[in-house]
Amino acid sequence: MNNDFIKYQAQTSAYPLGMEVSHAIGSYIFDTKNKKHLDFVAGVSACSLGHQPPRVNQAIKDQLDKYSHVMVYGEYSQSPAVEYCKLLASFLPAPLDKTYLVNSGTEAIEGALKLARRVTGRSQLISCNNAYHGNTMGSLSVMGFEERKRIFRPLIPDVDFITFNNEADLEKITTKTAGILLETIQGGAGFIQPQNDFLKKVRERCSKVGAIMILDEIQPGFGRTGKLFGFQNYDVVPDIVVMGKGMGGGMPVGAFTASSEMMDLLSHNPKLGHITTFGGHPVIAAACLATLREITETSLIADTLAKEKLFRTLLVHPLIKEIRGKGLMLAAMTESATITNEVILRCQDKGLILFWLLFEGCAIRITPPLTITEDEIREGCAIMLEVMNEISI
C-alpha cells in the first residue's frame, strides 16, 4: 500500500483496501503491478457503463474543447445541462418534469428535503430505520442508524423514523409531515425490496395528508433494476425523485426532479432558495447526457434482468443463504459477517472486486457495470465459488 496514501489523504476506515490503481477499462481495473481485477462493484454502482466508456469519454473531451465552468448554477443557459434535463424529463412520468442538477447524491437529498419543507410549510421529516441517504448533515439526520450518527449530534430536529415495509407505521405520516424519504430499494440495509405494495400505500397516505413523497434512486436508478428508475417497477410516482451515482458514467453528480410547480418555489421567497456553484457543470452534464443516451438507446436496461438470472443460476453454494435485490443490484447473503469478509478479501486476492454494504454485515455487494458480459459474470462467479469452497473446507 502506498504510504503517501495513508499519510496525506484522509481515510474513511482504519483498514482501507489500498489497491494502487494503474488504469481501468471495461469491466476491469488494473493495479500498478498490471494485475487485472474483474469489477463486480462498479465504483459502488456509479460506473454504469464500465470504465472508460467511449461515448462518455468523447462527450467529455468534446465539451472541454468548448467551455468548462462559466457561471453559478441557474444563471446561464448551457446546452449540455439543458439537453440533459429535457431528455431526462422525457423518460419520467408526469408531473416529474424539472430537474435541479447538483454535485452528489447527498447534496441532492439536501435539496429535496428543503423543497419538501418549502412546498408544505411544515417541518417534520420521516425516514426509515436502517436508511442511508448520504453523510452531509441533513442526510445524516435522516439516516436510520444511530451508531453512525450519534457522535455528530445535535442534528436536524423534527425527524422521525418508520420501518420499511411496515404498513402500521404509515400512521406516523400526518398533516404535520413535510415529507417522507424512502430508498426505493433499501441499500445499506441489505438490498431490501418493497413488499405488498408498500410504496403505493405510502403514496396514498402522503396524498391523503398532503405530505411530500421523496424516493431516493441514487443506487437503483439508471437501469440497474430493469427499469430506468427502480420506482417504475412498483407502479408509483413520487413527488420528488433523487438521483446520483450511475447518472454520470463515473463522473461526480447528483440531481433531484419534481414538478415545475414545486421546483419553481426555490426561485423566490427567498430567491436563491437552493444554490450551488458547480451544479450542472457543462463537462459533467455532457457525461450525463452521453450516459443516459447510451443506457436508453441500447438493450442494457432489459439485459439486466437476464444477467440477474445468470447470477442467481451460477451463485448456488451452501455458504450463500439467499440473493437479495433486483437486476444488477444484488447482495449475496452469508450466515455471518466473518464469512462475508473472508469471501470479499480472498476474492480480491484472486482478481475479483466485491464489496460490503453499510449496515448489513452478512451481505456481499454485487453491483457490476450494466455493460458486464455473460462471460465476465461466469468468470467472477467461478472465483466466488472457488473461494467459498476453500472457506467451507
Side-chain angles (χ1 to χ4, degrees):
M1 188 182 300
N2 188 322
N3 290 333
D4 287 348
F5 169 59
I6 300 298
K7 183 175 181 180
Y8 296 110
Q9 187 173 343
Q11 306 300 310
T12 57
S13 70
Y15 305 101
L17 293 173
M19 182 172 72
E20 296 184 50
V21 178
S22 167
H23 61 286
I25 188 164
S27 299
Y28 293 90
I29 299 174
F30 293 78
D31 65 24
T32 51
K33 297 178 181 178
N34 208 35
K35 178 181 177 180
K36 72 176 185 178
H37 302 259
L38 178 58
D39 187 359
F40 268 17
V41 179
V44 189
S45 304
C47 302
S48 304
L49 302 177
H51 302 286
Q52 306 298 324
R55 190 170 184 176
V56 176
N57 278 14
Q58 191 60 54
I60 291 169
K61 293 171 184 176
D62 290 346
Q63 184 57 41
L64 277 172
D65 287 337
K66 297 175 182 177
Y67 60 90
S68 184
H69 177 70
V70 293
M71 178 53 70
V72 295
Y73 182 82
E75 293 298 324
Y76 287 178
S77 176
Q78 301 173 62
S79 62
V82 174
E83 289 182 43
Y84 178 72
C85 292
K86 181 179 179 180
L87 183 61
L88 184 62
S90 74
F91 292 112
L92 285 167
L96 300 170
D97 64 357
K98 184 166 281 193
T99 296
Y100 198 121
L101 296 169
V102 292
N103 305 286
S104 64
T106 191
E107 186 186 338
I109 292 290
E110 300 282 345
L113 296 178
K114 288 171 63 179
L115 183 57
R117 285 184 166 181
R118 175 65 178 85
V119 169
T120 62
R122 305 170 184 174
S123 63
Q124 186 191 48
L125 299 168
I126 295 177
S127 183
C128 281
N129 297 312
N130 293 327
Y132 178 78
H133 300 287
N135 261 272
T136 47
M137 292 300 279
S139 300
L140 191 64
S141 299
V142 292
M143 179 192 292
F145 198 81
E146 183 62 23
E147 178 185 332
R148 288 183 179 267
K149 64 183 184 179
R150 182 182 298 114
I151 195 67
F152 303 109
R153 288 189 176 279
L155 299 171
I156 291 176
D158 207 4
V159 176
D160 200 359
F161 293 88
I162 65 172
T163 297
F164 199 72
N165 283 327
N166 186 335
E167 296 177 26
D169 277 359
L170 299 186
E171 294 298 317
K172 290 186 176 182
I173 307 171
T174 70
T175 54
K176 295 181 179 180
T177 305
I180 178 168
L181 172 62
L182 303 169
E183 297 161 276
T184 304
I185 297 174
Q186 279 205 302
F191 289 4
I192 299 171
Q193 295 190 68
Q195 303 292 331
N196 300 318
D197 290 328
F198 181 69
L199 295 183
K200 290 179 71 174
K201 290 167 183 174
V202 173
R203 170 73 277 173
E204 291 167 2
R205 181 66 179 174
C206 286
S207 297
K208 180 178 180 181
V209 301
I212 300 299
M213 182 182 184
I214 309 167
L215 285 182
D216 179 341
E217 285 277 343
I218 294 170
Q219 286 203 66
F222 295 93
R224 191 157 287 279
T225 67
K227 300 284 187 180
L228 185 60
F229 291 101
F231 71 81
Q232 293 170 320
N233 290 296
Y234 306 108
D235 192 26
V236 65
V237 179
D239 296 299
I240 306 173
V241 58
V242 180
M243 59 200 81
K245 287 192 181 291
M247 72 185 286
M251 300 299 281
V253 67
F256 57 106
T257 302
S259 67
S260 297
E261 179 183 12
M262 287 176 54
M263 198 68 80
D264 288 348
L265 294 174
L266 293 176
S267 68
H268 61 280
N269 193 27
K271 65 179 180 179
L272 308 179
H274 194 66
I275 190 168
T276 172
T277 298
F278 291 113
H281 190 286
V283 177
I284 304 297
C288 291
L289 182 59
T291 299
L292 184 57
R293 284 174 172 164
E294 184 71 12
I295 288 173
T296 56
E297 291 173 5
T298 64
S299 63
L300 284 174
I301 294 178
D303 291 348
T304 61
L305 298 180
K307 292 171 182 178
E308 175 194 353
K309 185 176 181 180
L310 181 58
F311 270 113
R312 291 184 180 276
T313 299
L314 295 173
L315 289 179
V316 177
H317 193 277
L319 292 185
I320 298 176
K321 302 307 177 186
E322 64 173 314
I323 296 179
R324 295 181 186 168
K326 188 172 182 64
L328 291 178
M329 183 178 175
L330 301 174
M333 309 299 297
T334 74
E335 65 183 15
S336 74
T338 299
I339 292 173
T340 288
N341 289 339
E342 280 291 305
V343 172
I344 292 171
L345 295 173
R346 291 194 191 193
C347 279
Q348 176 164 301
D349 289 341
K350 293 178 181 289
L352 175 67
I353 297 173
L354 300 167
F355 210 57
W356 296 265
L357 298 186
L358 276 176
F359 309 141
E360 175 49 84
C362 296
I364 302 170
R365 171 187 284 272
I366 302 173
T367 56
L370 307 188
T371 49
I372 196 166
T373 67
E374 290 192 1
D375 285 345
E376 289 166 346
I377 292 172
R378 294 180 188 279
E379 176 189 347
C381 289
I383 294 172
M384 290 182 69
L385 295 175
E386 177 186 345
V387 165
M388 289 180 181
N389 285 338
E390 293 173 357
I391 293 172
S392 61
I393 289 174

